[in-house]
Amino acid sequence: MAVSNSARRRIIEWGRRALGLDVPPSDHTAAALHVAESEVPGLDRRETLQLTRIRLLGATGAVIMAISALGVGAQPVRQNPTSGMRVLGFFARAHTSTLTMCMIGTVLVIMAWLLLGRFAIGGWGGNPRHRLSRSQMDRTLLLWIIPLSIAPPMFSNDVYSYLAQSEIAQRGLDPYVVGPADGLGLDNVLTKNVPNIWRETPAPYGPLFLWMGKGIAILTGDNIIAGVWLHRLLALGGVALIVWALPRLSRRCGVAPVSALWLGAANPLVLFHLVGGVHNDALMLGLMLAGLEFTLRAIEDTHPFDKRAWALLLFGTVVITLSSSIKVVSLAALGFVAMALARRLGGGFKQVLLAGAILGAVAVATTLLVTTASGLGFGWVHTLNTASAVRSYLSLPTAIGIATGFGGVLLGLGDHTTALLSITRPIGYLVAAFVMTRMLFATWTGRLHPVGALGVSFGALVLLFPVVQPWYLLWAIVPLAAWANRPLFRVPAITLSVIVSVLVMPRGADFYVFQIVQAAIATVIVGLLLIFLTRKVLPWRNQPGVSAPSQQATAYGVRS
């Protein structure tokens, strides 16, 4: 009996430690990603002049990318407005030159973003001596976004799938059952622009997004250019919500709003893939962060917890649920809101059940309302795994399965990649679920702020998801930008953002290897020449006054 009791106590002890219940706050593994930042003065005259040059460098790169998109962007197969035009059509005929333009523009934007980081986060560690103001950041971000917002789609053809799926819904068919080929026909102009791999595939998106898409389809019909423009307006609205919510969430976590905006909103992945690529992840992230801000206003800022607090909480819950009606992954944010609410109400297990019941009821009611009002039904529940048909090398379980399968082929054991993926992918799901559970407990016990815990959970989910597209990285980077400010996070996040932004080729044209090599060589030469010519007028090196080691100063407010 004594041995049995000892074993039971040991199991309970291991379980509590695995869930993070018995880990001191200072020793929590994820807590090492965060420290309160200090306020610093604004830029002086010399730094303001450098900022103007950096802003111009990024705008020049964005304009070059926008022009090159006329040739190497994701132009529609049908209704291409530049087709047959003498001047604008030239870019589509000179593939190598236009690809070189696009790569040079991409590198210029990335260089400008890294230089801007000098005045946002300083060097690799610590705070900058002087930090640019919020208005300076907003004007810079707007200047870089405008050229890409009026350019043809880049880096992805997904917007054409949006148009086709929305037209299917507008015709009264079920987009969660039929794909563009069956719903519209192979000869339809919208189907012609959908990549072959997705022509037979039903829609994997939530009912709110396709409901908005139905409205766009009613307004634009088969006019592809008008449809793309309206979908880009949705994406820009999502980016605007990110810009609104991110600084507010960062102040709650003791992080400089400009630092969060630099990494989370001015990130090249946002510019290239959410704005340039017209992805609905922008609207999903924007609604999720805005809803998170409203719920935390109720939980953290309202004393006592009165009717206004409940109104804010319910409104924020509805907004988060709406974001999950675009892509269901954002529904995870409600779990962290529930844990924060339970802690505010007393912190006991009964409070967890109460908070979960309240938020769950609101989420279910909102989802039922959207699903019923849109007339799309619940077919989206069965199409959530549609993207897994693609083998993505950014996904850790998928990369391991493919590499192991290839090793088996080399050893003469046969190609067992599919069988290996059926093992590695479920393991990835289990590990991601464990990390998320641990983060939920960390939020409940107050060891981590809900924003940080949510970001860490999304980080695990993205790394272990069966399919990871380049813009999926923003699911983790954007919320973590408001909380994780240590080099342990920022260095990998910056490095990954730069590498992925450079490696992803613009869609809309097929390139030979020699074209990519030639364009890359030209881009490297131009980049090195630019650094040499501007070495005295731009802060390529850690100049005095640009950044300094960590300083002791007034910290940004932290709420818990």
Side-chain angles (χ1 to χ4, degrees):
M1 181 65 70
V3 174
S4 176
N5 290 335
S6 176
R8 184 167 59 252
R9 285 196 301 269
R10 183 167 297 179
I11 292 173
I12 294 174
E13 178 182 348
W14 286 347
R16 291 179 61 86
R17 182 168 296 179
L19 293 174
L21 294 175
D22 292 335
V23 179
S26 59
D27 293 337
H28 199 289
T29 53
L33 300 176
H34 171 75
V35 67
E37 284 187 337
S38 56
E39 296 194 28
V40 296
L43 304 182
D44 59 27
R45 180 178 299 179
R46 178 179 63 87
E47 294 164 340
T48 302
L49 179 60
Q50 290 180 332
L51 174 63
T52 302
R53 293 165 179 162
I54 293 170
R55 185 182 293 163
L56 180 61
L57 176 65
T60 302
V63 169
I64 292 174
M65 290 181 66
I67 296 173
S68 69
L70 296 172
V72 295
Q75 295 276 50
V77 177
R78 298 284 184 88
Q79 299 184 15
N80 187 339
T82 63
S83 179
M85 298 184 67
R86 290 186 177 181
V87 178
L88 297 181
F90 165 78
F91 298 99
R93 296 191 295 269
H95 280 181
T96 304
S97 300
T98 311
L99 176 61
T100 304
M101 285 180 59
C102 184
M103 294 179 69
I104 290 174
T106 299
V107 170
L108 292 183
V109 173
I110 293 173
M111 284 181 170
W113 178 65
L114 293 175
L115 288 173
L116 187 66
R118 289 287 196 188
F119 303 125
I121 64 171
W124 290 112
N127 285 323
R129 292 186 185 273
H130 300 148
R131 182 179 281 122
L132 76 163
S133 66
R134 171 66 191 280
S135 62
Q136 289 173 325
M137 172 61 78
D138 288 344
R139 290 196 298 269
T140 302
L141 182 58
L142 183 62
L143 190 63
W144 293 355
I145 283 178
I146 289 176
L148 295 174
S149 66
I150 62 177
M154 300 186 71
F155 303 105
S156 174
N157 292 286
D158 280 5
V159 66
Y160 302 119
S161 295
Y162 300 165
L163 294 175
Q165 293 157 0
S166 299
E167 178 63 21
I168 291 173
Q170 192 275 328
R171 293 186 180 186
L173 303 174
D174 191 347
Y176 300 121
V177 174
V178 298
D182 296 330
L184 304 178
L186 288 174
D187 293 330
N188 185 274
V189 64
L190 298 178
T191 305
K192 288 288 186 180
N193 291 293
V194 177
N196 291 334
I197 190 175
W198 304 123
R199 289 186 180 180
E200 307 286 343
T201 305
Y205 309 113
L208 177 61
F209 181 70
L210 289 184
W211 192 13
M212 292 186 291
K214 284 174 62 176
I216 292 176
I218 292 173
L219 292 174
T220 63
D222 291 340
N223 190 319
I224 294 173
I225 304 303
V228 170
W229 272 101
L230 290 181
H231 272 284
R232 178 163 272 158
L233 285 179
L234 292 180
L236 290 174
V239 173
L241 286 174
I242 293 173
V243 173
W244 178 85
L246 203 56
R248 290 164 172 80
L249 292 172
S250 69
R251 280 194 172 274
R252 296 183 179 280
C253 302
V255 174
V258 169
S259 300
L261 281 173
W262 175 79
L263 183 56
N267 193 302
L269 292 175
V270 174
L271 301 176
F272 300 163
H273 295 285
L274 298 192
V275 178
V278 202
H279 285 292
N280 57 11
D281 298 70
L283 193 57
M284 182 268 286
L285 282 170
L287 288 172
M288 182 189 74
L289 294 178
L292 191 61
E293 165 61 19
F294 283 118
T295 54
L296 292 180
R297 281 187 187 182
I299 296 170
E300 298 180 348
D301 298 350
T302 308
H303 302 279
F305 204 86
D306 53 14
K307 292 182 179 179
R308 179 177 177 275
W310 281 110
L312 282 172
L313 177 68
L314 296 179
F315 178 72
T317 303
V318 169
V319 173
I320 293 175
T321 307
L322 291 178
S323 75
S324 71
S325 294
I326 296 172
K327 282 194 170 181
V328 73
V329 66
S330 64
L331 192 63
L334 280 185
F336 297 92
V337 173
M339 288 302 188
L341 177 62
R343 180 172 173 79
R344 170 68 192 273
L345 297 178
F349 186 68
K350 291 183 179 180
Q351 284 74 21
V352 172
L353 296 179
L354 176 62
I358 294 173
L359 300 188
V362 175
V364 169
T366 304
T367 302
L368 287 174
L369 179 62
V370 172
T371 303
T372 304
S374 65
L376 294 171
F378 290 92
W380 56 277
V381 176
H382 305 291
T383 62
L384 296 177
N385 201 37
T386 298
S388 62
V390 178
R391 293 181 178 180
S392 171
Y393 292 93
L394 289 175
S395 166
L396 188 59
T398 301
I400 292 175
I402 293 174
T404 307
F406 181 69
V409 173
L410 294 179
L411 294 174
L413 301 176
D415 186 0
H416 301 287
T417 303
T418 302
L420 288 168
L421 289 176
S422 66
I423 298 174
T424 58
R425 286 178 169 179
I427 292 176
Y429 278 129
L430 291 175
V431 175
F434 170 76
V435 173
M436 186 169 291
T437 302
R438 185 179 172 92
M439 293 301 104
L440 286 170
F441 277 100
T443 303
W444 181 30
T445 56
R447 291 191 172 96
L448 288 182
H449 192 275
V451 175
L454 174 64
V456 172
S457 297
F458 274 145
L461 182 63
V462 168
L463 289 176
L464 300 170
F465 210 58
V467 177
V468 179
Q469 301 291 357
W471 53 93
Y472 288 8
L473 300 174
L474 295 170
W475 297 358
I477 290 176
V478 172
L480 281 175
W483 176 78
N485 57 352
R486 299 294 294 274
L488 186 62
F489 163 71
R490 280 180 173 168
V491 172
I494 294 168
T495 303
L496 197 59
S497 298
V498 169
I499 292 175
V500 173
S501 298
V502 170
L503 291 183
V504 177
M505 291 289 102
R507 302 289 177 89
D510 296 325
F511 303 108
Y512 296 105
V513 175
F514 78 88
Q515 291 178 307
I516 298 175
V517 172
Q518 289 177 353
I521 292 174
T523 301
V524 170
I525 293 173
V526 171
L528 293 177
L529 184 62
L530 177 67
I531 293 175
F532 176 77
L533 294 176
T534 61
R535 66 190 185 281
K536 294 183 179 180
V537 295
L538 289 176
W540 295 108
R541 293 177 295 178
N542 195 5
Q543 302 173 2
V546 173
S547 60
S550 183
Q551 306 168 41
Q552 296 296 326
T554 304
Y556 288 89
V558 182
R559 300 183 179 93
S560 60

